[in-house]
Amino acid sequence: MTSSIHAFLERKRDGGRHDDAEIEAFVRGVVAGRVTRPQAAAWLAFVLVRGLDDVETTALTRAMTASGLRLSWEGLSGPFVDKHSTGGVGDKVSLVLAPLWAELGRRVPMVSGRGLGHTGGTLDKLEAIPGFRCTDLEPAHLRRILGETGCFIHGQTARLAPADRILYALRNETCTVPSIPLVTASILSKKLAEGISDLVLDVKVGSGAFMPDLASARALAVSLVRVGREAGLRTRAILTDMDQPLGRAVGNGLEVLEAVEALRGGGPPDLSACTIALAGDERAASLLRSGLVLERFRRMVAAQGGDPEALDDPRRLLGAVDVVEVRAERSGVLERCDALGIAQAAFALGAGRSRAADRIHRGVGVVLDRKRGDPVAAGDVLARIHHAGRALDEAIAHVRAACVVGDAPPPPRPLVLEVVEPPPGSASDAH
Ligand code: URA
């Protein structure tokens, strides 16, 4: 690559396209250190400006997957499914969907991440459960859990798609994260490495989302579905609302409690509706109402070292926290319940982290009493803030700014905004 790296960089700089072999050589060179960090960073910047077509993005995805271990579930019956969310506020769907799919006969080797910035991470939520292990289980152990329980939720190991770790860190440093082909390859390479056959993507749209507007979220969803299909995964995507938080709870332990309500067949209707839409199975709604899915979740928690009894005990999930109510100053209708503002409140309280090494508090966060469109009387509770003495005034100010009471009901906004499916007869249909 040493002699050809300049030609490779010049090609993208000048708007040309790469063939599969040179993309593979580039990714191998990045992982082996033959391509220097400045060279890799320059290429990322050229891609941000010039783009990659679907064929190039597929080659990049495959090369990034091949840079590490690819999990194999040979000997277990499939289908092997997972979902990826582009990240939202109050998004605890994975905790409900993984056991729901398992109960529906799928196997779910779910690899999840931690929260960074204002969006929460599934692993942080699960770690509110005493004893739950989601970072240090060996592949053989995960395989046993998958065989016996039908699902696990675990963090990414260093061996899955290592090229993505290197390139993602460089993208963060060089402001080249928001490139649709780079995001597509980053997400799909990790999912392909899990050894799944089916992937569902929840692309969030709105103030609390990575893609705030519908057009850019749609472009990302289409790219993910097309490239996923080309790379051999049955892939579909739904675009869902993230202008207001999903459900009522935002904060790690609080979200586990709300997920348990949903697993019991109750909980906020938008949480179960989002889970059912992603499940893509007509039996999902009645199964969720049956309560059987909670038993499956308890088994998964126990298999991963967690104490299932804690799921019924808010004090054990939350630790020591105090609760302060935020009340409406006037009557009317809740016109806005801004996802980003609520996330900023939870973040200030200590529910999130700005650097990977930051510690979080599992019990703090916000529980919404009112959601967009709900009637409100002066003095009604709008939200309850669970705090541990840190940044309470700041959190109250964020919640007040986020929850806007007005005179007119806001225009209706469906939870599922669009569905993006591969065209019939496409490569991934043929599995
Ligand atoms: N999530 C990922 O895994 N990769 C990206 O590039 C963006 C979001």
Side-chain angles (χ1 to χ4, degrees):
M1 194 88 198
T2 324
S3 58
S4 56
I5 183 69
H6 291 106
F8 179 80
L9 294 177
E10 280 162 8
R11 186 147 32 256
K12 196 43 74 181
R13 183 196 65 191
D14 299 341
R17 63 177 307 284
H18 299 303
D19 63 29
D20 291 7
E22 63 187 358
I23 290 180
E24 268 169 48
F26 170 74
V27 171
R28 274 202 305 271
V30 167
V31 175
R34 289 189 297 275
V35 173
T36 67
R37 296 293 182 259
Q39 287 167 335
W43 185 75
L44 293 169
F46 299 149
V47 169
L48 181 83
V49 176
R50 297 294 196 174
L52 296 176
D53 65 22
D54 281 354
V55 176
E56 291 173 300
T57 310
T58 306
L60 179 63
T61 304
R62 286 203 169 112
M64 286 164 63
T65 305
S67 70
L69 182 73
R70 191 165 178 168
L71 300 174
S72 160
W73 309 113
E74 224 179 293
L76 295 177
S77 58
F80 300 93
V81 305
D82 194 6
K83 76 116 193 176
H84 176 84
S85 160
T86 55
V89 180
D91 182 359
K92 67 282 289 174
V93 165
S94 292
L95 277 57
V96 188
L97 184 58
L100 172 62
W101 263 335
E103 203 56 38
L104 284 163
R106 320 297 206 267
R107 291 206 199 266
V108 194
M110 193 175 267
V111 175
S112 289
R114 294 198 179 281
L116 195 60
H118 74 269
T119 55
T122 297
L123 301 186
D124 298 321
K125 296 170 212 229
L126 286 166
E127 282 182 347
I129 304 168
F132 194 89
R133 289 169 64 186
C134 51
T135 56
D136 63 345
L137 299 177
E138 288 297 322
H141 193 161
L142 293 173
R143 183 191 174 79
R144 200 166 65 243
I145 297 173
L146 191 63
E148 289 169 1
T149 315
C151 57
F152 65 73
I153 305 179
H154 196 265
Q156 196 191 342
T157 74
R159 287 175 285 171
L160 290 191
D164 178 59
R165 241 192 359 275
I166 299 168
L167 291 174
Y168 204 2
L170 277 177
R171 287 165 61 208
N172 268 320
E173 276 182 62
T174 55
C175 306
T176 51
V177 169
S179 148
I180 285 182
L182 295 180
V183 174
T184 300
S186 167
I187 291 173
L188 292 178
S189 60
K190 288 175 285 201
K191 291 294 160 192
L192 279 163
E194 288 173 17
I196 55 171
S197 52
D198 296 68
L199 176 64
V200 182
L201 297 144
D202 183 2
V203 180
K204 302 284 188 197
V205 188
S207 82
F210 179 58
M211 294 289 186
D213 65 280
L214 189 59
S216 52
R218 185 187 294 129
L220 176 59
V222 167
S223 169
L224 284 161
V225 169
R226 284 214 298 245
V227 174
R229 182 189 69 202
E230 285 307 317
L233 275 181
R234 268 187 297 251
T235 312
R236 67 190 167 88
I238 63 175
L239 307 186
T240 63
D241 178 42
M242 191 32 71
D243 245 4
Q244 66 174 342
L246 187 66
R248 296 183 179 280
V250 179
N252 299 295
L254 293 165
E255 293 190 40
V256 174
L257 283 172
E258 188 167 86
V260 169
E261 276 180 56
L263 288 159
R264 272 206 181 94
D270 59 344
L271 172 57
S272 38
C274 189
T275 309
I276 289 163
L278 287 161
D281 187 305
E282 58 196 15
R283 299 166 295 166
S286 60
L287 196 52
L288 200 50
R289 278 194 302 271
S290 74
L292 284 173
V293 190
L294 178 59
E295 287 318 306
R296 180 73 71 152
F297 183 65
R298 286 186 193 283
R299 280 168 53 202
M300 184 194 85
V301 166
Q304 293 192 232
D307 180 358
E309 307 264 301
L311 300 175
D312 307 311
D313 186 349
R315 278 168 314 174
R316 290 189 62 204
L317 288 179
L318 305 181
V321 281
D322 291 317
V323 182
V324 165
E325 295 167 342
V326 179
R327 291 178 180 272
E329 287 166 349
R330 53 160 291 189
S331 299
V333 179
L334 198 68
E335 277 182 358
R336 274 199 93 192
C337 177
D338 180 54
L340 183 58
I342 299 298
Q344 286 166 335
F347 187 85
L349 294 164
R353 58 170 77 77
S354 49
R355 284 169 310 145
D358 290 350
R359 282 179 66 83
I360 55 171
H361 191 303
R362 69 183 192 281
V364 300
V366 179
V367 180
L368 300 163
D369 266 66
R370 295 288 190 278
K371 298 273 306 260
R372 190 177 54 213
D374 286 348
V376 174
D380 279 357
V381 175
L382 294 176
R384 285 165 223 268
I385 296 183
H386 294 241
H387 71 99
R390 168 175 152 186
L392 179 60
D393 289 344
E394 190 186 337
I396 293 174
H398 279 304
V399 171
R400 284 216 172 282
C403 297
V404 179
V405 181
D407 296 317
R413 183 172 160 95
L415 175 71
V416 177
L417 299 162
E418 278 181 30
V419 177
V420 178
E421 303 256 16
S426 64
S428 64
D429 266 18
H431 276 255

